[in-house]
Structure formats: structure tokens, C-alpha cells
């Protein structure tokens, strides 16, 4: 038996003003779009902003449904739109944040497991990292250099691909 260890390194900031300008802009776009979320059931409004290689920023927010599982997270709304409109463009970064009606979100908002899996697919496809910029409602930020850092031991199945 061998014990293995998985370690990730990420950056933490107390305030958005400490970031480079393009990262600040991306996070602000995520905040802005979170206000337009359709989240009448959870009152938890998530915003995601994606920076593409051509400099375009694509945004998305969570879209809920009375049949709960039919809704979709902000990250997937944004990345599916980005990939459908700009399939050739590299995805450089995704900024994620949220605001809740009834409480203050004190820790940076991280993508759910299903969104991590979806983001990882695009990272693998483009063979380049997608940076994650996660921000809380109180302003604290975490920056992670790759989706795979937050999805260790991820599902790989090269053999599923058609030849
Ligand atoms: N949600 C997201 O949009 N992204 C995540 O990564 C986690 C959760 C949404 C789904 C639902 O509309 C609300 O937040 C509460 O779970």
C-alpha cells in the first residue's frame, strides 16, 4: 500500500483592488450579471464571466425552474454559450460570484461538482488551463490556475472517444 498526497496551490486576496485590471473587470462582469439571474426558488444569484482568447467576455447566470433539476448553474449557462458561439476561441478564465437575498456569502463561490466536470472538458479540449477567479460577497477572492486543481482524480476515458 502506498499513501499518495494531492496538494493544490492557489492565491488568496482580501480585496478586488489587489488584482490586475483584466481580472478585476472579469469579476465585475460576474457581479453585474448575477443581478440578472432567474433564481426565484433559492434566492441565490450566481454570476459567471468568461474571458476568451479574442478578448471577448461572455457572461451567464443561474436559471432555475419549478421542476428543480431542470435549472442550470451560471457557469454552464456561460460556458455552453461561449463554446456554441466561439468554438475556436480559447477560454482563458472564468470569474464566479454570487449574492444571496437572505444572508451574506463570506467565502469565495466555487463551482459545483457538475460544473467542474463540464469546465474540465473544455480545459482538456483546448489543452490549456482555464483560470478560476472566485469571489465572495464580502470581497475575498481565490484564484486557482486550472480547473483540474479543483477536480483531482477526475474521470478520464479516452477510449470512449470515437476513432
Ligand atoms: N448554482 C450555480 O449557479 N453555480 C454553482 O456552481 C452552484 C449553484 C446555482 C444553482 C441554483 O440555482 C442556486 O445556485 C442554488 O443552488
Amino acid at each position: 500500500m502506498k499513501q499518495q498526497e494531492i496538494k493544490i496551490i492557489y492565491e488568496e486576496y482580501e480585496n478586488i483592488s489587489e488584482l490586475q485590471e483584466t481580472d478585476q473587470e472579469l469579476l465585475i462582469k460576474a457581479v453585474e450579471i448575477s443581478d440578472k439571474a432567474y433564481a426565484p426558488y433559492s434566492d441565490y444569484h450566481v454570476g459567471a464571466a468568461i474571458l476568451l482568447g479574442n478578448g471577448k467576455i461572455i457572461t451567464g447566470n443561474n436559471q432555475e425552474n419549478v421542476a428543480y433539476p431542470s435549472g442550470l448553474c451560471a457557469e454552464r449557462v456561460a460556458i455552453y454559450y461561449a463554446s456554441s458561439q466561439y468554438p475556436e476561441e480559447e477560454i482563458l478564465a472564468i470569474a464566479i460570484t454570487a449574492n444571496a437575498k437572505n444572508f451574506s456569502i463570506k467565502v469565495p463561490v466555487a463551482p459545483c461538482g457538475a460544473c467542474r466536470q463540464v469546465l474540465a472538458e473544455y480545459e482538456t479540449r483546448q489543452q490549456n488551463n482555464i483560470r478560476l477567479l472566485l469571489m465572495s460577497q464580502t470581497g475575498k477572492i481565490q484564484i486557482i490556475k486550472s480547473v483540474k486543481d479543483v477536480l483531482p482524480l477526475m474521470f478520464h476515458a479516452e477510449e470512449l472517444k470515437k476513432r
Side-chain angles (χ1 to χ4, degrees), residues 25-26 50-58 89-90 92:
E25 191 192 345
L26 204 59
I50 289 175
L51 177 64
L52 297 179
N54 63 4
K56 271 196 187 315
I57 292 177
I58 304 295
E89 285 302 324
E90 196 155 83
L92 301 179

Side-chain angles (χ1 to χ4, degrees), residues 38-39 42 44 46 61-64 72-75 109-112 115:
Y38 176 61
S42 69
Y44 190 86
V46 186
N61 47 34
N62 50 330
Q63 298 294 315
E64 296 186 347
L72 198 61
C73 292
E75 297 89 324
V109 177
C112 76
C115 287

Side-chain angles (χ1 to χ4, degrees), residues 16 21-34 49 59 95 97 135:
I16 194 169
E21 220 171 284
T22 48
D23 287 348
Q24 289 190 22
E25 191 192 345
L26 204 59
L27 278 162
I28 289 165
K29 294 270 187 213
V31 172
E32 285 170 0
I33 201 69
S34 72
T59 58
T97 190
M135 189 163 76

Side-chain angles (χ1 to χ4, degrees), residues 35-49:
D35 280 338
K36 294 184 180 152
Y38 176 61
Y41 305 104
S42 69
D43 281 332
Y44 190 86
H45 296 234
V46 186

